Amino acid sequence: MSFKTIIEPFRIKSVEPISMTTEKQRKKLLSQANNNLFLLDAEHVIIDLLTDSGTSAMSAEQWAGIMRGDESYAGAKSWKRMKAVISDLTTYDNVIPTHQGRAGENILYSMLGGKGKVFISNTHFDTTRANIEYSGATAIDCVIKEGKSPEVIHPFKGNMDVELLEKNIVKYGAKNIGAVILTVTNNSGGGQPVSMENAKAVQKVCKKHKVRYFLDCCRIAENAYFIGEREEGYANKDYKQIAQEMFSLADGAVMSAKKDGLVNMGGFIALKDKKLADSCTNTLIIKEGFVTYGGLSGRDMEAIAIGLVEVFDRDYLNYRIKSTTYLGEKLSELGVAVILPIGGHAVYVDAKSFYNHIPVEQFPGQALACDLYLKGGIRACEIGSVMFGKYEKSGKLIPASMELVRLAIPRRVYTQSHIDYVIEVFEQLIKEKEKSKGFEITCEPEFLRHFTAHFKRVD
Ligand code: F0G
């Protein structure tokens, strides 16, 4: 007998109080933060959906592991445990610990990058792209065309356009390809999964042209769940086995353990090629730390070793993906346009459609993100022209391709009633839609302006 109510497969042992604020207080707080949600104090947020990264709740087992953490400088037991779990999962022998994902990207891609090199991904995450471009190389995105249309339903919208991938390899020359990177799930494309069939097709092309093939695997367990649910031949497979099969196709992987590692800090590089791993190790020692801890303390490594096992639990993954889908489908039923189908870690709302009276030059995504805070104390993240817009020489805005607001769900943190509250806040906002106004930027830094820019409501 199965029930339609999917419960959180855990009990709560330790709680973190949320401080409740009123709309009047939030108006003042947002104004003090110059209408930038990154500049708010976290204690003034009721439901924090800014990111699913580093925001997971750890299990009792992980907290027990924290106490067992071996803080020896070299050869710690906690390192051996973390390495064993990662080698087993990835099927690779060479593991390099880093303090988070971007540290691994920096080490690996600065080594393989440089001027004239090209990296090809389904969609590069911002920090991946930044690390590649910082090395002087070029980053090209080749997601399938369905992955670029919010409303098109496709089971694996994160898939790489393999034909376009091969065209680009031929165009730039195989020897100039730094690496091909498959991001699973595809965060920047809406948290959409990649199929095993696609991962195999990418492998075939990479093998044919002898180019390196890596996974950006920070949400690999969520991706494995989607394969189990949607791809033929995988219904009865263990999620860890599915992940292992995907890893075995590639030459290596970079992981931010802050996502599917179920920890607050950590990451790693794992590689088949020992020679490449040895070169990475040299940079690791200079930039992160000794080979048996990288940028991590023993307790972090212990928590990662446990988190990477817990994340593949069937009941956990079922609850995780179904609860994200619950939020997305309820919003969709209310008539809110969201990226479909709902991805693994977040719901992406189409703010251009929600506030269709606000021109893109006045940042409808920023307006929705600020209104969610004002109305309900919810913090979300604008992923639109504030984050990605550029300027023409004349100062005119070149808008981003989409104006999205991401509601990222921290793992094991919020209950169904928190999510129902988010839905109710949307219900209220829908009623007052036409009243909302856009924003202008009053000051901004040269790079990554969304973190620190100041905004003013347009009259
Ligand atoms: N790759 C992907 C696909 C990511 O989503 C992230 C981080 C990273 C790499 C970098 O990892 O933060 O540990 O250095 N994504 C976070 C987010 C920040 O909010 O989506 P990191």
Side-chain angles (χ1 to χ4, degrees):
M1 165 107 196
S2 71
F3 293 92
K4 75 176 183 343
T5 308
I6 293 163
I7 61 167
E8 289 84 1
F10 48 80
R11 301 189 293 186
I12 297 167
K13 189 185 281 260
S14 170
V15 298
E16 192 179 358
I18 292 174
S19 47
M20 306 303 277
T21 48
T22 63
E23 206 168 327
K24 193 168 158 219
Q25 286 168 327
R26 291 193 291 270
K27 206 168 167 194
K28 192 165 164 217
L29 291 163
L30 189 61
S31 155
Q32 283 166 353
N34 290 295
N35 296 301
N36 185 333
L37 298 161
F38 283 98
L39 303 180
L40 279 175
D41 286 343
E43 64 185 304
H44 297 139
V45 175
I46 296 178
I47 308 278
D48 207 342
L49 306 182
L50 194 59
T51 180
D52 64 318
S53 178
T55 50
S56 299
M58 289 204 288
S59 65
E61 270 309 304
Q62 284 176 299
W63 282 110
I66 294 274
M67 280 309 294
R68 281 197 305 269
D70 176 354
E71 304 301 339
S72 306
Y73 190 95
K77 280 192 283 226
S78 301
W79 157 245
K80 291 210 278 193
R81 273 195 276 271
M82 170 171 149
K83 183 173 186 287
V85 168
I86 295 170
S87 282
D88 172 49
L89 173 63
T90 60
T91 69
Y92 313 143
D93 287 338
N94 307 290
V95 182
I96 296 160
T98 62
H99 80 273
Q100 63 183 90
R102 68 198 72 181
E105 292 169 348
N106 176 274
I107 291 170
L108 187 60
Y109 302 142
S110 61
M111 183 118 32
L112 301 174
K115 218 168 170 321
K117 293 284 182 188
V118 176
F119 289 73
I120 307 170
S121 178
N122 41 353
T123 314
H124 291 88
F125 180 65
D126 326 5
T127 59
T128 322
R129 174 176 286 277
N131 273 302
I132 288 167
E133 290 177 351
Y134 190 72
S135 81
T138 305
I140 298 176
D141 293 341
C142 287
V143 73
I144 54 168
K145 68 176 188 320
E146 290 86 345
K148 293 184 210 157
S149 314
E151 65 292 337
V152 174
I153 305 281
H154 184 289
F156 293 103
K157 268 173 107 168
N159 279 357
M160 180 92 82
D161 181 333
V162 182
E163 220 172 279
L164 191 58
L165 164 71
E166 186 156 23
K167 265 194 194 146
N168 275 307
I169 295 177
V170 172
K171 179 174 163 194
Y172 292 99
K175 68 174 187 340
N176 295 318
I177 305 297
V180 170
I181 305 164
L182 199 57
T183 311
V184 296
T185 58
N186 192 21
N187 183 7
S188 309
Q192 298 292 329
V194 174
S195 69
M196 193 70 81
E197 190 188 11
N198 190 250
K200 283 182 186 161
V202 172
Q203 183 203 34
K204 205 167 153 203
V205 170
C206 290
K207 274 226 154 102
K208 178 173 157 197
H209 295 277
K210 297 196 176 63
V211 299
R212 286 201 162 95
Y213 173 22
F214 299 129
L215 299 181
D216 176 340
C217 66
C218 50
R219 297 180 181 88
I220 184 98
E222 293 174 2
N223 199 83
Y225 177 89
F226 283 115
I227 290 177
E229 287 284 296
R230 297 180 185 170
E231 195 162 350
E232 219 188 303
Y234 289 92
N236 298 319
K237 276 212 169 151
D238 186 60
Y239 297 130
K240 188 180 123 186
Q241 271 179 339
I242 297 176
Q244 282 169 323
E245 182 179 340
M246 192 172 262
F247 278 117
S248 72
L249 300 169
D251 300 311
V254 178
M255 183 172 199
S256 164
K258 296 171 74 173
K259 286 82 168 169
D260 275 351
L262 297 175
V263 292
N264 307 120
M265 191 51 74
F268 61 83
I269 307 168
L271 298 167
K272 275 186 187 158
D273 178 354
K274 179 158 188 326
K275 246 169 92 188
L276 180 62
D278 287 345
S279 313
C280 288
T281 301
N282 291 334
T283 323
L284 181 83
I285 296 173
I286 300 167
K287 296 200 170 170
E288 286 277 293
F290 185 59
V291 294
T292 63
Y293 71 88
L296 296 168
S297 51
R299 53 184 173 271
D300 292 331
M301 296 193 283
E302 200 70 44
I304 292 170
I306 298 164
L308 281 175
V309 173
E310 286 182 354
V311 77
F312 286 100
D313 179 82
R314 275 202 106 72
D315 294 328
Y316 162 73
L317 277 175
N318 188 40
Y319 136 81
R320 166 72 179 156
I321 305 299
K322 296 255 166 72
S323 59
T324 306
T325 308
Y326 174 83
L327 171 62
E329 286 183 347
K330 289 278 176 199
L331 293 183
S332 193
E333 281 166 24
L334 291 176
V336 177
V338 292
I339 292 193
L340 293 171
I342 307 302
H345 68 293
V347 174
Y348 294 70
V349 178
D350 181 354
K352 195 153 56 173
S353 145
F354 193 85
Y355 283 151
N356 55 19
H357 62 291
I358 301 178
V360 288
E361 292 74 19
Q362 293 176 10
F363 309 112
Q366 187 65 17
L368 178 55
C370 285
D371 292 347
L372 280 168
Y373 179 71
L374 288 175
K375 183 59 71 187
I378 298 162
R379 176 155 69 171
C381 185
E382 192 267 6
I383 304 189
S385 292
V386 171
M387 195 180 266
F388 294 125
K390 300 229 158 68
Y391 294 113
E392 284 177 8
K393 277 214 177 86
S394 65
K396 192 171 176 288
L397 181 84
I398 309 167
S401 59
M402 291 195 264
E403 303 296 331
L404 301 174
V405 169
R406 183 180 77 168
L407 308 167
I409 320 289
R411 293 167 182 79
R412 305 192 291 207
V413 171
Y414 293 117
T415 63
Q416 168 128 16
S417 64
H418 290 117
I419 298 300
D420 283 334
Y421 169 83
V422 174
I423 296 161
E424 201 181 326
V425 171
F426 265 95
E427 274 171 357
Q428 291 300 320
L429 288 185
I430 290 169
K431 288 187 193 148
E432 304 160 13
K433 253 189 188 180
E434 308 74 44
K435 281 201 241 152
S436 183
K437 297 213 162 90
F439 281 93
E440 60 182 282
I441 295 178
T442 55
C443 87
E444 62 183 293
E446 208 176 325
F447 292 106
L448 298 170
R449 68 168 163 211
H450 55 286
F451 289 128
T452 52
H454 292 180
F455 300 87
K456 192 171 143 248
R457 280 265 186 202
V458 174
D459 287 327

